[in-house]
Amino acid sequence: MSEAPPRGLSHSVARARLAAEGANELGTEQRRSLAAIAGEVVREPMFLLLLGAGAIYLAMGDAHEALILLGFVAIIMTVTIVQERRTENALEALRDLSSPRALVIRDGEAQRIAGREVVRDDILILSEGDRIPADGVVLQAHELATDESMLSGESEPVAKFGQREPAYAGTLVVRGQGLLQVCATGQHTELGRIGKSLTTIAVEASPLRDEIARLTRQLALLGVGLCLLLALLYWLLRDSWLDALLAGITLAMGILPQEFPVIMIVFLALGARRIASHQVLTRRLNAIETLGETTVLCVDKTGTLTQNRMALAALAVDGQLLDTGQLPGGELPEAYHELLEYAVLASEIEPHDPMEQAFHHYARTYLADTEHLHPAWSLAREYELSPALLAMSHLWRQDGDDDDDVVATKGAPEAIAELCHLPDAARARLIADAATLADRGLRVLGIAKARHSPHQEWPSLQHDFDFELLGLVGFADPLRPEVPAAIRECQQAGIRVLMITGDHPHTARAIARQAGIASRGTLTGSELAALGDDAANLGRQLAGINVFARVTPQQKLAIVNALKAAGEVVAMTGDGVNDAPALKAAHIGIAMGKRGTDVAREAAALVLLDDDFTAIVTAIRLGRRIFANLRQAMSYTLAVHVPIIGLSMLPLLFGMPLILAPIHIAFLELVIDPACSIVFEAEPERPQQMQQPPRRAGETLLSRPQLLLALAQGALVLLSCGVAYAASLAAALDDATARALTFIVLVSANALLILPNRSAQSGWQALFGGLSAVAAWVLGGTLLSLLLITSIPALAGAFGFVPPAPGLWLAAFALGCATLLLLEGSKRVAAWRG
């Protein structure tokens, strides 16, 4: 450090610049406010239909009916908004508690301020362990190195020599000290620019959501036509345009698929909660729909497959290589003691650098109680790294005054060979040994020693010592132990795993082998650039290539887009700022929560709270389970709306009094559909679920047999309801009592309809032997609600019912239960025909 550091900005200039240029923090455009969430919910067609029905009741002077409908609207909206808001709040809790603190020079004095208060041209004092709060240039450096893996994907620290090299916001000082002059803050930093660029990438809709949208458009056209026809017929036949509108709205609520936000939201919200129990935060619910369809999983190396820390992996002395993971007898052989001893002496006493920490760890483990540790020695002189010589040396004073000083050095193998003045043959052997370690994906350092008389002046250059080569050490960024099994399970499930990294090809290939990622080659960023920008062509060229190295952030995005153009459903994992554009462009972006940057988490659809790679596979498994259960729920939903549509139209066609009103539809959607969604969501995982290929991109949500079965089941329930209504009117019961009896048949039959649809087993088996606790509570709660609104006069009146006699109530309920026999028959016929 300079003896006379710069005075820095004055307090007045800093305040003025902060006011003019804004705080040093990323914007919050990605965050959704409560008002924005509520606005999205209100625009759902279901709520618009309910509000329209309420307005018509008010126009008819029936404020009581209107208030009941508005109550349903409030309940449904609250359920939806609370879940969406909880997801946003969980992300907020995941953020750092504050921006990094900064030691800044203002008016010649060093003071600690919040990182958000740093302004352009501030002078920052950097020390080991500091998080750099803004982009800048290094003015002075003393063994300074930073971890820039979050930006570059490189796990190796980057040395800074005080020659106005750039340093970046969000990176970590892992070694040394320095002075930094701030050049850019907030949105203008590299971190900020990547974050800002995310706004130009549209959030990818899930394939399932696209399919549902197409189905919605088709059924909406049919529904609008039928609603208009029903309203017109009602007006012409009964001469009441307000009643005609209500009849049309009732039918619309029974047909339009978008009228069921409660089912979809509750189902996905419960899925999100289930996934959250495995420490995976769902930021966008549509990712849950897509998880089970994933065909390609793109993973970053540093911090995703690996632990983003350096571990001592190999030692080499006189060409004899020792793998530290397989130490004989759990002890370090004597031949390697001196190598490790001098590696420690060439390191800081209390290091922050991951490699130096590894030296100290192994020395404490294997050199304890030996003569190779020297806590009493004093560090007398340090020789720093320089661009001309990538090596650093420490000169140590021994205990005795007449003992020679000891010099330890470590650095790049080429630099150590130069310091040791090796002859050509010995230099060639050293470089070959270093290349062997590098081919294993290791970062290689050379270690050497020298002695110096304490009675002579210290040399000004490291070259002036008479160094003796001791050997080589190799470092690995260790693979996460859970990764190989997780990748193997993905491959068994038909999911192609790609590793995309900014690291060296040697390292990429070595990590891929350890992880079990097979590839017909390794493609580098330069080779990727030569293939051109056409996404479709690039997608064809990437077939069989599963390892990518020296890839830039823009190329990560290009790879994701190429895979999408090839028809793949892409999930992308990462933790760095450089991963954010690809995370947002992928069908499913998965960010690491602990190591991941705010920008990566903002861009992702899922966040791994514990950075556990197995959670990705768990999420995919749960996604497949959720999709299978969602398919059952959708089939059930289609079936239960057939009688609703029929009961809306048949009375008009046959000249009978209307059966259903909007309030009845609202009750069914609030009680039956969400409740049954809960049942289907709780269904267990199917056997061999992760040994099956992903759902095909062109596969429909409901196959033709499933569609026909759902329609047949709905028609059978409609038949039972029609029989009940016709028999009630034939028995001269009043309209309100007949409506109540028909509603009892409808609700009880629809409730029991979940039994034959929830699994392959018989509905009777499910009812009497295999009924889950969730299903039992749902059925009990639904039937209790039905009993209350059809038996208590005050509640029955609100629904336009007259409570039937107990015998009639039980007869209607028995008819609804008997419908299960017909439903079981339809299921067996469908299975036989399939």
Side-chain angles (χ1 to χ4, degrees):
M1 299 293 291
S2 172
E3 295 181 359
R7 288 186 55 81
L9 298 177
S10 67
H11 291 289
S12 59
V13 170
R15 283 194 298 270
R17 192 159 291 177
L18 182 64
E21 299 182 359
N24 176 38
E25 58 187 0
L26 297 184
T28 58
E29 295 89 345
Q30 300 287 335
R31 304 176 192 175
R32 291 192 302 166
S33 65
L34 183 61
I37 295 173
E40 293 176 7
V41 172
V42 169
R43 289 193 293 271
E44 289 283 353
M46 170 63 177
F47 300 118
L48 298 179
L49 287 170
L50 286 173
L51 290 173
I56 293 175
Y57 278 122
L58 284 175
M60 296 172 64
D62 193 343
H64 184 258
E65 194 85 3
L67 289 175
I68 292 176
L69 272 181
L70 291 176
F72 278 116
V73 172
I75 294 172
I76 297 172
M77 285 183 62
T78 300
V79 170
T80 306
I81 292 173
V82 165
Q83 172 57 35
E84 292 286 324
R85 187 58 179 170
R86 286 181 62 185
T87 300
E88 292 296 319
N89 289 340
L91 181 68
E92 293 294 329
L94 189 62
R95 295 175 178 275
D96 293 335
L97 295 177
S98 64
S99 61
R101 303 284 292 174
L103 185 60
V104 62
I105 300 176
R106 296 269 175 89
D107 285 328
E109 295 182 357
Q111 62 181 104
R112 187 75 64 177
I113 64 173
R116 67 182 307 277
E117 297 175 7
V118 171
V119 298
R120 187 169 46 84
D121 289 331
D122 258 331
I123 304 297
L124 306 181
I125 301 175
L126 304 179
S127 300
E128 291 182 356
D130 286 349
R131 182 76 64 178
I132 300 177
D135 286 2
V137 293
V138 178
L139 302 180
Q140 299 177 16
H142 175 67
E143 298 187 1
L144 182 66
T146 60
D147 177 3
E148 298 180 355
S149 61
M150 61 174 290
L151 285 169
S152 66
E154 293 273 9
S155 57
E156 301 175 6
V158 179
K160 307 292 182 182
F161 302 106
Q163 298 179 349
R164 299 192 70 84
E165 299 104 322
Y168 302 102
T171 60
L172 183 68
V173 178
V174 296
R175 184 178 67 239
Q177 301 84 34
L179 285 183
L180 179 82
Q181 182 179 12
V182 175
C183 298
T185 61
Q187 296 278 1
H188 303 290
T189 63
E190 283 297 311
L191 187 153
R193 275 193 286 271
I194 294 176
K196 192 173 182 180
S197 70
L198 296 178
T199 60
T200 64
I201 302 175
V203 175
E204 184 74 27
S206 71
L208 176 59
R209 190 64 60 91
D210 291 339
E211 180 184 339
I212 291 177
R214 288 193 299 271
L215 179 63
T216 297
R217 288 191 296 269
Q218 295 167 359
L219 293 184
L221 292 175
L222 174 64
V224 168
L226 289 176
C227 294
L228 292 176
L229 177 61
L230 180 64
L232 181 61
L233 288 174
Y234 196 101
W235 185 25
L236 293 175
L237 296 176
R238 305 195 183 185
D239 195 26
S240 174
W241 68 272
L242 284 176
D243 287 338
L245 281 178
L246 281 175
I249 287 176
T250 301
L251 181 59
M253 294 173 67
I255 293 179
L256 295 179
Q258 286 290 351
E259 67 181 334
F260 302 117
V262 175
I263 293 178
M264 184 67 78
I265 289 296
V266 169
F267 199 97
L268 295 181
L270 289 174
R273 180 177 297 179
R274 191 175 297 278
I275 290 177
S277 68
H278 295 275
Q279 299 301 297
V280 180
L281 171 69
T282 303
R283 289 207 66 236
R284 292 199 293 271
L285 290 181
N286 65 6
I288 296 175
E289 306 166 11
T290 318
L291 271 170
E293 306 166 31
T294 302
T295 59
V296 175
L297 175 60
C298 300
V299 297
D300 184 45
K301 179 188 75 67
T302 304
T304 305
L305 295 179
T306 67
Q307 300 175 29
N308 198 22
R309 65 176 180 85
M310 285 293 178
L312 192 59
L315 302 173
V317 174
D318 293 331
Q320 298 299 311
L321 179 64
L322 175 68
D323 187 341
T324 59
Q326 299 176 347
L327 292 176
E331 296 183 357
L332 183 67
E334 179 67 33
Y336 299 92
H337 282 198
E338 190 177 30
L339 176 64
L340 184 55
E341 172 190 3
Y342 277 85
V344 172
L345 292 174
S347 304
E348 296 292 338
I349 299 173
E350 295 182 359
H352 284 264
D353 182 87
M355 290 183 290
E356 294 185 348
Q357 290 176 340
F359 283 141
H360 279 265
H361 168 73
Y362 274 85
R364 288 192 300 269
T365 303
Y366 298 109
L367 299 183
D369 302 324
T370 72
E371 73 280 5
H372 296 288
L373 295 182
H374 311 286
W377 288 9
S378 60
L379 181 61
R381 176 72 187 270
E382 296 182 72
Y383 295 86
E384 300 178 17
L385 285 165
S386 69
L389 184 67
L390 295 177
M392 58 182 296
S393 300
H394 284 174
L395 187 148
W396 295 87
R397 277 283 167 85
Q398 299 192 56
D399 302 333
D401 293 337
D402 293 328
D403 291 334
D404 285 346
D405 295 336
V406 173
V407 185
T409 188
K410 69 179 189 317
E414 297 84 356
I416 297 301
E418 182 179 347
L419 286 176
C420 294
H421 307 291
L422 295 178
D424 291 344
R427 179 189 295 266
R429 284 196 301 272
L430 178 67
I431 299 305
D433 289 343
T436 299
L437 293 176
D439 284 338
R440 294 176 52 184
L442 304 182
R443 172 141 187 233
V444 185
L445 293 179
I447 307 294
K449 69 175 183 177
R451 303 186 79 83
H452 183 74
S453 172
H455 305 297
Q456 297 178 357
E457 290 186 5
W458 296 326
S460 59
L461 299 175
Q462 301 178 70
H463 272 291
D464 295 334
F465 292 108
D466 188 14
F467 281 108
E468 175 189 348
L469 177 66
L470 294 176
L472 299 171
V473 294
F475 289 92
D477 185 3
L479 193 72
R480 292 177 181 269
E482 71 272 12
V483 164
I487 288 180
R488 187 164 53 251
E489 188 169 1
C490 285
Q491 293 168 341
Q492 290 173 351
I495 300 171
R496 177 184 171 195
V497 181
L498 276 64
M499 184 177 74
I500 306 174
T501 179
D503 220 330
H504 193 280
H506 286 305
T507 306
R509 283 193 292 268
I511 293 296
R513 285 195 301 269
Q514 296 173 30
I517 301 176
S519 178
R520 65 177 176 85
T522 301
L523 201 62
T524 64
S526 57
E527 294 168 339
L528 190 64
L531 295 178
D533 297 328
D534 182 72
N537 177 63
L538 183 59
R540 290 190 293 270
Q541 296 290 334
L542 299 186
I545 300 293
N546 296 330
V547 180
F548 300 83
R550 293 296 192 208
V551 172
T552 66
Q554 293 76 16
Q555 289 172 330
K556 289 187 179 185
L557 178 60
I559 291 171
V560 170
N561 287 333
L563 292 169
K564 288 163 58 179
E568 305 285 0
V569 178
V570 183
M572 166 78 186
T573 73
D575 62 352
V577 175
N578 61 325
D579 299 324
L583 287 174
K584 189 170 183 181
H587 292 105
I588 307 172
I590 308 172
M592 298 299 183
K594 288 184 176 178
R595 292 187 180 273
T597 60
D598 280 346
V599 173
R601 293 196 294 263
E602 289 277 4
L606 301 177
V607 179
L608 305 184
L609 299 182
D610 281 347
D611 290 5
D612 182 359
F613 191 79
T614 58
I616 298 174
V617 183
T618 300
I620 292 174
R621 182 189 303 111
L622 288 173
R624 290 191 172 193
R625 167 184 166 180
I626 290 168
F627 176 80
N629 293 344
L630 177 62
R631 171 175 277 174
Q632 287 183 314
M634 294 298 291
S635 176
Y636 166 81
T637 302
L638 179 62
V640 299
H641 284 83
V642 171
I644 295 174
I645 295 170
L647 293 178
S648 299
M649 299 183 65
L650 293 181
L652 178 63
L653 298 178
F654 290 98
M656 300 177 177
L658 291 181
I659 304 173
L660 298 179
I663 189 172
H664 303 133
I665 308 296
F667 172 83
L668 289 169
E669 290 175 356
L670 186 62
V671 177
I672 296 292
D673 295 341
C676 293
S677 294
I678 294 173
V679 173
F680 288 116
E681 194 279 333
E683 283 296 295
E685 178 181 328
R686 276 71 175 164
Q688 306 299 313
Q689 184 170 274
M690 287 297 285
Q691 278 72 50
Q692 299 173 353
R695 170 184 174 238
R696 296 190 307 273
E699 184 181 344
T700 58
L701 177 61
L702 294 178
S703 64
R704 185 182 297 274
Q706 290 170 325
L707 185 65
L708 292 176
L709 175 60
L711 294 176
Q713 289 177 333
L716 292 175
V717 174
L718 174 60
L719 176 63
S720 297
C721 295
V723 169
Y725 192 53
S728 299
L729 295 179
L733 296 176
D734 61 273
D735 295 350
T737 302
R739 187 180 298 117
L741 292 173
T742 305
F743 198 71
I744 292 169
V745 175
L746 174 64
V747 173
S748 57
N750 279 349
L752 292 175
L753 180 59
I754 70 174
L755 298 177
N757 280 282
R758 60 184 284 265
S759 66
Q761 66 179 153
S762 159
W764 294 110
Q765 290 175 334
L767 183 61
F768 295 111
L771 194 62
S772 66
V774 173
W777 278 103
V778 165
L779 283 175
T782 300
L783 297 178
L784 177 61
S785 299
L786 175 64
L787 178 64
L788 294 177
I789 67 169
T790 55
S791 300
I792 298 177
L795 292 178
F799 283 80
F801 299 149
V802 168
L808 291 176
W809 198 102
L810 291 174
F813 180 70
L815 177 58
C817 293
T819 307
L820 183 60
L821 289 172
L822 298 176
L823 297 175
E824 278 298 318
S826 68
K827 183 177 178 180
R828 292 181 181 276
V829 170
W832 175 73
R833 290 178 61 88

